[in-house]
Amino acid sequence: MFCLLRVGQGAVYYTCHLVPLYIPAAAGLADWSDTYGGEQRVGVVHAAGNGYRTRSHFDAQDLMESGLGAKTGQSDGWLNRALATMQPAAGDRRLGIAVGGAVPLVLRGKVAVASWEPPGLKQGAPEFIQILSRLYASDQLLGPALADGLRTQNMSSAVLGEDMAKGPQGFGPKSFQPLAAAAGKLLAAADGPRIAALEMGGWDTHVGQGSVAGRLAQNLDGLGQGLQALAAGLGPAWQQTVVVAVTEFGRTVAVNGSGGTDHGTASVVLVMGGAVRGGRLRGDWSGLDRLEENRDLRVATDARSVLKGVLRDHLGIDAATLDRKVFPDAPGAKPMDGLVRA
């Protein structure tokens, strides 16, 4: 089982480069190190990035999610391309699911995936749904789409229960926990998906970022609580789970005049979960003595090496397929070894 967590709108963990993670608000993350049998289940890859040089959220997110090093107009994501190597063995069952909002680029592509978010509209009456089903039964496009949607809704309602299925919406620190809890339960279901993508925004802290208190601390707390809820929702399946937290770019090393940080270059990739060999820093440290453009941490590790290592050792996708189909323009990024327990 694999769960991708995308941290949007700027990096969150740039502070890991400078100080140990003793921030009280990050206690939820620290708990992952010792809650499960006293074994370390968090790995940190510092000074990581895809090597692109853009300070645009839109370009940086597209590149991170497509898995490419340059904008080419490609409309699919690296996780969907990875699913393409696994989906044939699963038949009609959809192995991928996007939890919360629209399907992100990382999961878009030729392979059909499910999506779930707490409904924001009043539920349709059963009679209305039956009428729609009959109306679209012979339509080659809308008929199967409606049937797939109803199957997903029925499965999520059965797994989550009506109260949880109607939980809060949004992407902030308080709304992330129920989304993560739902993702855990959906992934743990015997006939549910096996790969999920979640996102949590609000990390673009140009102003009033704070340290042990403030916006950054609130987001760290929300992220930590969400990850704990994810693990609780997974239950025993936690032991076979890998969670990867990635972001589109880092933050500047120095605080700006508004008490925040601006768009930077390198950041941190977190690899977490019951199947992870954690408790260590990975990758090369590029140092603070020679910064990118005299403001940013330089990229020392291609984040795609981390993703390749997880996809190879956890999902069994061979290195040749990763180079040829999943990350076609990053053959030089070798899969990182030792991230996942044997």
Side-chain angles (χ1 to χ4, degrees):
M1 188 175 294
F2 173 89
C3 177
L4 172 80
L5 171 65
R6 184 184 73 163
V7 179
Q9 297 183 339
V12 48
Y13 292 107
Y14 78 98
T15 47
C16 291
H17 305 314
L18 309 178
V19 296
L21 262 178
Y22 294 149
I23 302 174
L29 297 175
D31 286 348
W32 275 35
S33 297
D34 55 16
T35 300
Y36 298 91
E39 298 181 2
Q40 295 284 327
R41 292 291 179 256
V42 179
V44 177
V45 184
H46 53 195
N50 280 8
Y52 49 76
R53 299 292 183 267
T54 174
R55 302 190 189 278
S56 161
H57 277 308
F58 303 104
D59 290 347
Q61 286 190 9
D62 284 350
L63 291 170
M64 177 191 72
E65 295 187 48
S66 70
L68 304 177
K71 296 205 72 172
T72 62
Q74 192 160 349
S75 59
D76 60 355
W78 62 265
L79 193 54
N80 192 280
R81 297 194 295 271
L83 277 171
T85 70
M86 306 165 54
Q87 188 63 52
D92 294 336
R93 175 185 175 188
R94 296 193 177 187
L95 295 181
I97 186 170
V99 178
V103 177
L105 174 60
V106 70
L107 262 185
R108 294 181 212 156
K110 295 180 180 179
V111 178
V113 299
S115 63
W116 180 87
E117 68 171 326
L121 300 175
K122 183 179 179 180
Q123 294 284 341
E127 298 81 6
F128 177 69
I129 301 300
Q130 292 173 5
I131 292 172
L132 279 183
S133 298
R134 290 197 298 269
L135 177 64
Y136 294 126
S138 59
D139 190 291
Q140 295 182 353
L141 177 63
L142 297 178
L146 178 60
D148 283 343
L150 291 174
R151 280 197 296 269
T152 300
Q153 181 186 42
N154 292 336
M155 190 273 286
S156 63
S157 295
V159 171
L160 302 177
E162 291 301 320
D163 291 340
M164 190 173 188
K166 296 178 182 178
Q169 296 175 291
F171 304 99
K174 292 184 179 180
S175 60
F176 181 65
Q177 182 177 0
L179 290 178
K185 288 183 175 294
L186 292 169
L187 288 168
D191 58 346
R194 285 296 172 263
I195 294 176
L198 300 86
E199 58 183 320
M200 177 180 173
W203 302 94
D204 198 13
T205 52
H206 292 277
V207 178
Q209 177 174 284
S211 53
V212 296
R215 291 178 58 200
L216 177 61
Q218 291 172 1
N219 281 352
L220 285 169
D221 181 56
L223 178 63
Q225 289 188 32
L227 292 173
Q228 288 181 320
L230 174 67
L234 283 163
W238 159 258
Q239 293 297 337
Q240 289 79 47
T241 299
V242 173
V243 180
V244 181
V246 294
T247 187
E248 71 268 31
F249 49 51
R251 309 297 300 181
T252 49
V253 172
V255 176
N256 62 29
S258 300
T261 52
D262 300 308
H263 301 172
T265 305
S267 184
V268 162
V269 175
L270 293 182
V271 185
M272 305 164 282
V276 170
R277 292 179 60 196
R280 66 195 72 186
L281 289 171
R282 296 183 180 273
D284 295 328
W285 173 242
S286 52
L288 299 178
D289 56 336
R290 189 162 57 90
L291 301 177
E292 182 81 18
E293 297 183 355
N294 201 34
R295 53 176 276 167
D296 305 335
L297 187 68
R298 291 181 293 111
V299 172
T301 298
D302 193 319
R304 290 169 292 187
S305 293
V306 182
L307 301 174
K308 284 184 177 183
V310 173
L311 293 174
R312 182 195 64 185
D313 297 340
H314 192 56
L315 296 185
I317 304 176
D318 64 89
T321 299
L322 291 172
D323 285 344
R324 187 174 67 256
K325 296 183 177 180
V326 182
F327 298 103
D329 71 341
K334 302 303 179 184
M336 183 171 287
D337 296 323
L339 294 170
V340 180
R341 291 189 292 119

